Amino acid sequence: MKGLGITVTEHLLIHQKESPAATGRLTRLLQELIFAAKIISREVNKAGLVDILGLTGDINIQGERVRKLDDFANHVLIYRMERTGVVCAMSSEENADIIPVPEDMHQEDYLLTFDPLDGSSNIDANVNIGTIFSIHRKVSDRPYVTLDDFLRRGSKQVAAGYFIYGPSTMLVYTTGKSVNGFTLDPSVGEFLLSHQNITIPERGKVYSVNEAYTSYWDEKTKRVVDYFKSQENERGKPYAARYIGSFVADFHRNLLYGGIFMYPADKKDPAKPRGKLRLLCEVAPMAYILEQAGGAATDGEQNILDIKPSALHERVPVFMGSKLDVEKATNIMQGKD
Ligand code: AHM
Ligand code: MG
């Protein structure tokens, strides 16, 4: 019956009550993140119009400078999240260094890492893009935050998720128990539970990789991709190639339908010897979601969630998605198959 959907706020509060030790601070953080995403979603939805306004001299009708959308998203997230009272520092794909919360603002021990607008090079073509986030707790007892506090394994995440701005705006997130998806009902401005307890099929139907880089790959990587091109999936049909070039969009499709997403190391490309995607703000949060959804993620050698980062913007090769497909890719990469 219409009007009876569970809102994300209700869902968060139900979840909070289930954990006796919960204080409501994570709920506060997630609620503010959701609000920031609604603002970003609103701007993304009028991206074409913003470009038109920009042509008139880069000043919009409010007399403000028209920002590129990824700058805008970054700005909104930093501004909103530093005012939550529960975050002590942030890290963004757009900022070279960590972003401390100003000293005069209340702080608790949550660390937030995000890619404000992943896939933003696709905006002009009206392709789905998204915001990815990862939440950790600060464990050091120092009274201030250092880079070290952010360099933690993905398995230590407290929560992770993404917003996808597409035909509908959706939120998919986990706090380490299950993965749930919510769709924004723009008429009431609320995210409603639309995909309860998401699980990824054990074996997929698609493989997603930018095959234009084949000549850059090592032999093992080539064998992995050849394997999926020559296999029949569980329905006796060949795996389909699907690659949007917008990580959130490729990931979201594979999470729902099953499949493997790959961004391998481009051994012969000096710019991407360790692939392109960033461990902390892109790959680790998605790997955490996958783990809760029954999937897997590896860099070819080890589970993504076990990698100890050594730099804020460290990149990793990645093979992620349906469990059996990732197992096969790992075996080939490790020379076991
Ligand atoms: P960006 O952070 O520069 O936007 O790059 C990230 C994007 C991902 O969304 C996507 O998966 C990947 O780059 C596509 O890269 P390529 O064009 O090399 O296939
Ligand atoms: Mg990105």
Side-chain angles (χ1 to χ4, degrees):
M1 190 175 163
K2 280 190 177 172
L4 286 184
I6 297 180
T7 68
V8 70
T9 308
E10 283 176 279
H11 197 267
L12 283 167
L13 291 172
I14 291 166
H15 180 78
Q16 187 188 314
K17 281 191 192 132
E18 283 168 0
S19 318
T23 59
R25 291 174 306 157
L26 182 61
T27 303
R28 162 93 188 105
L29 194 167
L30 289 167
Q31 278 182 319
E32 196 60 32
L33 207 47
I34 289 164
F35 184 66
K38 285 183 194 171
I39 297 173
I40 297 167
S41 176
R42 186 191 65 196
E43 293 303 305
V44 167
N45 285 341
K46 57 183 188 190
L49 299 172
V50 170
D51 276 344
I52 291 166
L53 295 173
L55 288 177
T56 63
D58 282 345
I59 303 290
N60 69 16
I61 44 170
Q62 280 90 36
E64 298 161 335
R65 203 159 52 87
V66 176
R67 288 171 187 277
K68 274 177 67 189
L69 268 175
D70 38 11
D71 279 351
F72 175 83
N74 197 36
H75 174 81
V76 168
L77 282 161
I78 294 170
Y79 184 88
R80 300 292 328 176
M81 301 315 293
E82 66 187 8
R83 283 165 177 74
T84 57
V86 299
V87 174
C88 54
M90 289 170 270
S91 160
S92 163
E93 190 198 284
E94 297 288 328
N95 295 58
D97 301 316
I98 65 170
I99 309 158
V101 169
E103 275 173 24
D104 58 345
M105 290 181 176
H106 189 77
Q107 302 178 20
E108 300 272 350
D109 58 356
Y110 283 109
L111 300 165
L112 175 67
T113 298
F114 52 85
D115 179 351
L117 213 51
D118 176 69
S120 55
S121 62
N122 294 298
I123 292 173
D124 290 347
N126 210 3
V127 169
N128 294 10
I129 50 180
T131 300
I132 307 172
F133 62 90
S134 159
I135 300 168
H136 278 268
R137 271 212 150 95
K138 174 171 168 286
V139 287
S140 71
D141 348 318
R142 284 183 297 265
Y144 49 88
V145 183
T146 68
L147 171 62
D148 229 30
D149 291 309
F150 279 88
L151 302 182
R152 302 196 61 217
R153 290 182 172 83
S155 56
K156 302 292 182 193
Q157 288 171 99
V158 173
Y162 60 88
F163 296 89
I164 179 165
Y165 312 111
S168 315
T169 292
M170 275 191 74
L171 160 66
V172 173
Y173 84 97
T174 181
T175 51
K177 283 195 179 133
S178 57
V179 180
N180 290 288
F182 301 81
T183 303
L184 181 64
D185 180 340
S187 64
V188 291
E190 263 288 12
F191 281 94
L192 302 173
L193 182 62
S194 53
H195 297 65
Q196 193 166 15
N197 203 5
I198 297 172
T199 53
I200 183 168
E202 262 203 323
R203 217 179 143 207
K205 301 180 176 127
V206 304
Y207 73 98
S208 314
V209 67
N210 189 339
E211 279 192 79
Y213 301 131
T214 304
S215 63
Y216 291 170
W217 298 337
D218 63 17
E219 287 311 310
K220 285 177 183 165
T221 306
K222 287 180 189 166
R223 280 190 49 221
V224 171
V225 177
D226 282 347
Y227 168 82
F228 290 109
K229 286 166 74 170
S230 62
Q231 282 303 299
E232 290 182 342
N233 66 21
E234 64 203 357
R235 294 182 306 161
K237 292 188 171 171
Y239 276 61
R242 293 282 184 275
Y243 190 74
I244 298 169
S246 180
F247 181 43
V248 173
D250 279 310
F251 179 90
H252 185 67
R253 181 204 52 240
N254 289 8
L255 177 67
L256 298 184
Y257 300 163
I260 183 162
F261 174 91
M262 299 171 264
Y263 206 114
D266 286 347
K267 298 281 184 200
K268 293 186 205 152
D269 180 349
K272 293 185 284 176
R274 299 270 303 149
K276 179 178 186 187
L277 300 183
R278 285 93 173 168
L279 176 59
L280 286 170
C281 67
E282 294 177 317
V283 177
M286 297 310 217
Y288 193 56
I289 291 172
L290 273 176
E291 185 180 68
Q292 307 309 321
T298 170
D299 67 353
E301 283 164 22
Q302 57 177 330
N303 186 326
I304 291 289
L305 296 175
D306 293 337
I307 300 175
K308 170 87 173 81
S310 51
L312 202 55
H313 296 284
E314 176 173 344
R315 295 170 196 261
V316 278
V318 64
F319 303 83
M320 65 186 351
S322 292
K323 197 173 168 196
L324 296 180
D325 293 333
V326 174
E327 261 173 34
K328 187 75 192 177
T330 311
N331 284 341
I332 297 174
M333 290 305 288
Q334 295 182 350
K336 294 181 189 159
D337 211 325

